[in-house]
Amino acid sequence: MIKIKNLKKSFGNNVVLNGVSFKVEKGEVLALIGFSGCGKSTILKIVAGLIDADEGEIELGAGKLGMSFQYSALFDSMTIADNISFPLYIDKETKDLPDFEIDRIVTEKLSLVGLPGINNWSPSELSGGMKKRISFARAIVNDPEIILYDEPTAGLDPVASTIIEDLITNLQKETNAASILVTHQASTIKRACTRVVMIYGGKVVWEGTPDELFDEKNTNNYSSQFRDGAVDGPMLVQH
Ligand SMILES: Nc1ncnc2c1ncn2[C@@H]1O[C@H](COP(=O)(O)OP(=O)(O)OP(=O)(O)O)[C@@H](O)[C@H]1O
Ligand SMILES: [Mg+2]
């Protein structure tokens, strides 16, 4: 479970989050959407404990947390296997696992993301889409109960996107994790997410299901502007 209450965060004079509240229950994949720069990645980083909020409360159920980053954030000097297994070495429950067991887990996760056999490659040998999938494998390597995905399908071709979307859905069924998924992609919202929260002006401006978001009859000013990609609407687009 993830519970966020009245989260505020500014960078200098730039007020990014101005009282964001929402909840994610176990088994839910919450799509966090909103225009570029509205603070989606900032929310994930605060939930992951990578940066501090200025104000607000975050409650996380017990259990591990995994995060896949917007720009993959792989360690270039390490092999793919070492990148994926990294979270296992910083967790006291798994840090003493024997090498063969770690190899087994890494090999299993590589197959899961459709990239078997590249254990000893370096990140520089991979395409952007392959890096995304490795970042995904690393996020789930320790079977987390809270998973944060920052644009897991951005820049992937449609088939690779579908593979990741279905992985997220299957993982959700298997682990019953509470997840937040940041995306701009309609296919990912429809295929992988159970609920949607839209951020604008530092606040939640709309909340609903993927079906409601894409329903042509939905006339909510915010969600219909996002759905239609309309320049005109309550949300001002910065260029
Ligand atoms: N470490 C930082 N220092 C200063 N400003 C920051 C920092 N991190 C984020 N910001 C600012 O906070 C705002 C929100 O950034 P964030 O990365 O959360 O946006 P986003 O919604 O994830 O956008 P995108 O869809 O483009 O990824 C932006 O104005 C950004 O410039
Ligand atoms: Mg972002």
Side-chain angles (χ1 to χ4, degrees), residues 45-61:
K45 287 177 194 162
I46 292 172
V47 173
L50 298 172
I51 58 174
D52 288 328
D54 299 334
E55 267 182 61
E57 287 165 35
I58 299 167
E59 240 181 82
L60 303 177

PDB file of all heavy atoms in Angstrom, residues 45-61:
ATOM      1  N   LYS A  45      10.516   9.796  -7.006  1.00  0.00           N
ATOM      2  CA  LYS A  45      11.785   9.882  -6.254  1.00  0.00           C
ATOM      3  C   LYS A  45      11.533  10.121  -4.769  1.00  0.00           C
ATOM      4  O   LYS A  45      12.276   9.611  -3.924  1.00  0.00           O
ATOM      5  CB  LYS A  45      12.662  10.991  -6.836  1.00  0.00           C
ATOM      6  CG  LYS A  45      13.278  10.617  -8.173  1.00  0.00           C
ATOM      7  CD  LYS A  45      14.069  11.770  -8.750  1.00  0.00           C
ATOM      8  CE  LYS A  45      14.404  11.531 -10.208  1.00  0.00           C
ATOM      9  NZ  LYS A  45      14.791  12.793 -10.885  1.00  0.00           N
ATOM     10  N   ILE A  46      10.492  10.877  -4.449  1.00  0.00           N
ATOM     11  CA  ILE A  46      10.171  11.100  -3.038  1.00  0.00           C
ATOM     12  C   ILE A  46       9.668   9.790  -2.415  1.00  0.00           C
ATOM     13  O   ILE A  46      10.102   9.411  -1.323  1.00  0.00           O
ATOM     14  CB  ILE A  46       9.130  12.240  -2.888  1.00  0.00           C
ATOM     15  CG1 ILE A  46       9.761  13.575  -3.290  1.00  0.00           C
ATOM     16  CG2 ILE A  46       8.612  12.307  -1.447  1.00  0.00           C
ATOM     17  CD1 ILE A  46       8.781  14.743  -3.356  1.00  0.00           C
ATOM     18  N   VAL A  47       8.795   9.084  -3.127  1.00  0.00           N
ATOM     19  CA  VAL A  47       8.289   7.809  -2.593  1.00  0.00           C
ATOM     20  C   VAL A  47       9.440   6.822  -2.391  1.00  0.00           C
ATOM     21  O   VAL A  47       9.485   6.090  -1.401  1.00  0.00           O
ATOM     22  CB  VAL A  47       7.214   7.203  -3.538  1.00  0.00           C
ATOM     23  CG1 VAL A  47       6.815   5.808  -3.071  1.00  0.00           C
ATOM     24  CG2 VAL A  47       5.989   8.097  -3.597  1.00  0.00           C
ATOM     25  N   ALA A  48      10.396   6.824  -3.321  1.00  0.00           N
ATOM     26  CA  ALA A  48      11.534   5.897  -3.213  1.00  0.00           C
ATOM     27  C   ALA A  48      12.545   6.338  -2.157  1.00  0.00           C
ATOM     28  O   ALA A  48      13.500   5.622  -1.876  1.00  0.00           O
ATOM     29  CB  ALA A  48      12.217   5.768  -4.571  1.00  0.00           C
ATOM     30  N   GLY A  49      12.366   7.535  -1.612  1.00  0.00           N
ATOM     31  CA  GLY A  49      13.288   8.013  -0.585  1.00  0.00           C
ATOM     32  C   GLY A  49      14.570   8.598  -1.156  1.00  0.00           C
ATOM     33  O   GLY A  49      15.553   8.779  -0.440  1.00  0.00           O
ATOM     34  N   LEU A  50      14.574   8.892  -2.455  1.00  0.00           N
ATOM     35  CA  LEU A  50      15.793   9.430  -3.079  1.00  0.00           C
ATOM     36  C   LEU A  50      15.911  10.931  -2.862  1.00  0.00           C
ATOM     37  O   LEU A  50      17.003  11.481  -2.845  1.00  0.00           O
ATOM     38  CB  LEU A  50      15.789   9.126  -4.585  1.00  0.00           C
ATOM     39  CG  LEU A  50      15.797   7.637  -4.930  1.00  0.00           C
ATOM     40  CD1 LEU A  50      15.588   7.425  -6.417  1.00  0.00           C
ATOM     41  CD2 LEU A  50      17.096   6.995  -4.478  1.00  0.00           C
ATOM     42  N   ILE A  51      14.773  11.619  -2.744  1.00  0.00           N
ATOM     43  CA  ILE A  51      14.788  13.029  -2.356  1.00  0.00           C
ATOM     44  C   ILE A  51      13.721  13.259  -1.286  1.00  0.00           C
ATOM     45  O   ILE A  51      12.773  12.480  -1.175  1.00  0.00           O
ATOM     46  CB  ILE A  51      14.577  14.002  -3.557  1.00  0.00           C
ATOM     47  CG1 ILE A  51      13.257  13.709  -4.277  1.00  0.00           C
ATOM     48  CG2 ILE A  51      15.722  13.952  -4.526  1.00  0.00           C
ATOM     49  CD1 ILE A  51      12.943  14.726  -5.372  1.00  0.00           C
ATOM     50  N   ASP A  52      13.891  14.324  -0.530  1.00  0.00           N
ATOM     51  CA  ASP A  52      12.951  14.611   0.551  1.00  0.00           C
ATOM     52  C   ASP A  52      11.872  15.576   0.078  1.00  0.00           C
ATOM     53  O   ASP A  52      12.158  16.495  -0.699  1.00  0.00           O
ATOM     54  CB  ASP A  52      13.682  15.284   1.723  1.00  0.00           C
ATOM     55  CG  ASP A  52      14.573  14.292   2.449  1.00  0.00           C
ATOM     56  OD1 ASP A  52      14.210  13.101   2.483  1.00  0.00           O
ATOM     57  OD2 ASP A  52      15.629  14.706   2.954  1.00  0.00           O
ATOM     58  N   ALA A  53      10.663  15.386   0.588  1.00  0.00           N
ATOM     59  CA  ALA A  53       9.600  16.361   0.349  1.00  0.00           C
ATOM     60  C   ALA A  53       9.786  17.519   1.323  1.00  0.00           C
ATOM     61  O   ALA A  53      10.456  17.379   2.340  1.00  0.00           O
ATOM     62  CB  ALA A  53       8.249  15.698   0.566  1.00  0.00           C
ATOM     63  N   ASP A  54       9.207  18.680   0.987  1.00  0.00           N
ATOM     64  CA  ASP A  54       9.238  19.807   1.929  1.00  0.00           C
ATOM     65  C   ASP A  54       8.190  19.597   3.017  1.00  0.00           C
ATOM     66  O   ASP A  54       8.397  19.956   4.170  1.00  0.00           O
ATOM     67  CB  ASP A  54       8.943  21.123   1.202  1.00  0.00           C
ATOM     68  CG  ASP A  54       9.984  21.404   0.138  1.00  0.00           C
ATOM     69  OD1 ASP A  54      11.128  20.916   0.289  1.00  0.00           O
ATOM     70  OD2 ASP A  54       9.663  22.086  -0.855  1.00  0.00           O
ATOM     71  N   GLU A  55       7.050  19.056   2.598  1.00  0.00           N
ATOM     72  CA  GLU A  55       5.937  18.809   3.529  1.00  0.00           C
ATOM     73  C   GLU A  55       5.179  17.593   3.056  1.00  0.00           C
ATOM     74  O   GLU A  55       5.251  17.228   1.883  1.00  0.00           O
ATOM     75  CB  GLU A  55       4.939  19.982   3.467  1.00  0.00           C
ATOM     76  CG  GLU A  55       5.158  21.071   4.465  1.00  0.00           C
ATOM     77  CD  GLU A  55       4.070  22.131   4.319  1.00  0.00           C
ATOM     78  OE1 GLU A  55       2.889  21.802   4.494  1.00  0.00           O
ATOM     79  OE2 GLU A  55       4.418  23.285   3.994  1.00  0.00           O
ATOM     80  N   GLY A  56       4.379  17.033   3.953  1.00  0.00           N
ATOM     81  CA  GLY A  56       3.506  15.928   3.550  1.00  0.00           C
ATOM     82  C   GLY A  56       3.882  14.628   4.216  1.00  0.00           C
ATOM     83  O   GLY A  56       4.898  14.545   4.887  1.00  0.00           O
ATOM     84  N   GLU A  57       3.006  13.645   4.012  1.00  0.00           N
ATOM     85  CA  GLU A  57       3.225  12.337   4.639  1.00  0.00           C
ATOM     86  C   GLU A  57       3.218  11.252   3.587  1.00  0.00           C
ATOM     87  O   GLU A  57       2.422  11.284   2.661  1.00  0.00           O
ATOM     88  CB  GLU A  57       2.090  12.038   5.622  1.00  0.00           C
ATOM     89  CG  GLU A  57       2.151  12.845   6.892  1.00  0.00           C
ATOM     90  CD  GLU A  57       0.838  12.783   7.646  1.00  0.00           C
ATOM     91  OE1 GLU A  57       0.186  11.723   7.627  1.00  0.00           O
ATOM     92  OE2 GLU A  57       0.475  13.823   8.233  1.00  0.00           O
ATOM     93  N   ILE A  58       4.098  10.283   3.782  1.00  0.00           N
ATOM     94  CA  ILE A  58       4.094   9.103   2.912  1.00  0.00           C
ATOM     95  C   ILE A  58       4.059   7.879   3.797  1.00  0.00           C
ATOM     96  O   ILE A  58       4.869   7.749   4.706  1.00  0.00           O
ATOM     97  CB  ILE A  58       5.356   9.039   2.049  1.00  0.00           C
ATOM     98  CG1 ILE A  58       5.425  10.267   1.158  1.00  0.00           C
ATOM     99  CG2 ILE A  58       5.363   7.784   1.179  1.00  0.00           C
ATOM    100  CD1 ILE A  58       6.757  10.416   0.520  1.00  0.00           C
ATOM    101  N   GLU A  59       3.092   7.015   3.530  1.00  0.00           N
ATOM    102  CA  GLU A  59       2.998   5.761   4.274  1.00  0.00           C
ATOM    103  C   GLU A  59       3.200   4.639   3.280  1.00  0.00           C
ATOM    104  O   GLU A  59       2.502   4.578   2.265  1.00  0.00           O
ATOM    105  CB  GLU A  59       1.582   5.646   4.833  1.00  0.00           C
ATOM    106  CG  GLU A  59       1.485   5.560   6.331  1.00  0.00           C
ATOM    107  CD  GLU A  59       0.032   5.422   6.719  1.00  0.00           C
ATOM    108  OE1 GLU A  59      -0.482   4.301   6.672  1.00  0.00           O
ATOM    109  OE2 GLU A  59      -0.577   6.463   7.023  1.00  0.00           O
ATOM    110  N   LEU A  60       4.139   3.768   3.575  1.00  0.00           N
ATOM    111  CA  LEU A  60       4.355   2.619   2.707  1.00  0.00           C
ATOM    112  C   LEU A  60       4.160   1.377   3.557  1.00  0.00           C
ATOM    113  O   LEU A  60       4.647   1.321   4.682  1.00  0.00           O
ATOM    114  CB  LEU A  60       5.784   2.618   2.151  1.00  0.00           C
ATOM    115  CG  LEU A  60       6.229   3.852   1.367  1.00  0.00           C
ATOM    116  CD1 LEU A  60       7.684   3.719   0.966  1.00  0.00           C
ATOM    117  CD2 LEU A  60       5.360   4.051   0.132  1.00  0.00           C
ATOM    118  N   GLY A  61       3.440   0.398   3.034  1.00  0.00           N
ATOM    119  CA  GLY A  61       3.313  -0.856   3.767  1.00  0.00           C
ATOM    120  C   GLY A  61       4.686  -1.482   3.920  1.00  0.00           C
ATOM    121  O   GLY A  61       5.639  -1.062   3.269  1.00  0.00           O
TER     122      GLY A  61
END
